[in-house]
Amino acid sequence: MESLTLKPPGRVDGVIQLPGSKSLSNRLLLLSSLASGTTEVRNLLESDDTQHMTTALETLGIGLSFFDEGARCLVKSPGGPFSASRADLFLGNAGTAIRPLCAALCLGEGEFTLTGEPRMLERPIAHLVDALRQLGADISYEGQEGYPPLRIRASGLLGGSVSIRGNVSSQYLTALLLASPLAQEALQIEIIGDLVSRPYIDMTIDVMRRFGVSVDNDNYRAFHVPGGQAYRSPGTALVEGDASSASYFLSAAAILGGTVRVNGVGADSIQGDVQHAGILERMGAVVRRGADFIEVSRGSLKGLDLDLNHIPDAAMTVAVTALFAEGKTIIRNIGNWRVKETDRLSAMATELRKVGAQVVEGPDFLEIDPPRQIQPAEISTYNDHRMAMSFSLASLGTAEITILDPGCVSKTFPEYFDNFKAILPQ
């Protein structure tokens, strides 16, 4: 297995131009494919997850042309449901591809299979499938009940009323919302239980608005999508810089700055993970914000008791940042970590202990007591890009940290370690 050893630097400093957001990239690609006209998607992320989405869309008959080394994509579509009558789609471990495509493929006519990597076949999708079946979808499981691979025999979605659980993954609701304007009638979506990761739903609704579709949000308890709507190309769709990716560089500055500025997200961002900067500020870092940048300088960090249900990806960055804070950090309401690229609660607890932290792993929380000094360690990454990127921050102490399988960052940020080294002294 490949590995990367990171030596402790004395300081971090620099400016990072962020890659495009994975979540926005795949949403914009899908809606551009369902909208009539030609859409130019700018600042598109080039990664494994977006590659799985673009390959699937081309297989489904959508015309894609790439420019500027893949950062700009022209999407040509007649609009409406996909016209392909049959396709077998391999979607890796891209939840932002398989969940929305599962719903969108039900809108047309034809037979489709959706599958992915071994971990994808362990990630639940039953709540989405159950909701789509309420709307008339014919979906069957080809393996274990409740998990991919799936077979879809599409004949359109009826519309009407549907209920869906909100406490496992916001991607289920996102998938329903993105498909809803092309259902045969207006759609009323009722949420069962609490809704996790609400900022991602705000992002979904904002993207739909950019393509001409309105959604009524009743305090995240119900969503109404009027009938008779269709997606229309806005001509150009800009992908913001990835706020989740920003979190690593901002935490690095809070731990060991210097000052680091990230360009591409800022005070005007629609992404929930920009709230990571506010958490660093509460911990003691110095934070400055502009419309499209965030800048952080080192502070004396202290542990906090946090509910991070709304930003589960950035919560992983907080967990490793806690190694450098004074006092205990508690991260609560993160049970949905267990159904991500790996069981992130278990993985994070295991690896934090390797570097010397005392950790209590609960069903949906972590308690982290930092070590007096970071211990050298080999960090297992579980084929999870965020484990690799988060634990790069552990190298900002006084011990070497070896990241196993560093290439797993290709899922969302292939150039991560090059960018990380760019803020270290040369």
Side-chain angles (χ1 to χ4, degrees), residues 89-103:
L89 304 179
F90 179 85
L91 298 165
N93 198 12
T96 56
I98 195 170
R99 276 80 177 259
L101 281 170
C102 177

Side-chain angles (χ1 to χ4, degrees), residues 371-407:
R372 291 189 177 182
Q373 188 168 314
I374 302 293
Q375 302 301 307
E378 283 192 347
I379 300 299
S380 298
T381 52
Y382 307 83
N383 196 29
D384 186 339
H385 56 135
R386 299 213 183 278
M387 288 293 294
M389 292 186 282
S390 294
F391 273 92
S392 67
L393 299 173
S395 70
L396 302 180
T398 56
E400 289 187 355
I401 298 295
T402 297
I403 305 293
L404 300 178
D405 188 24

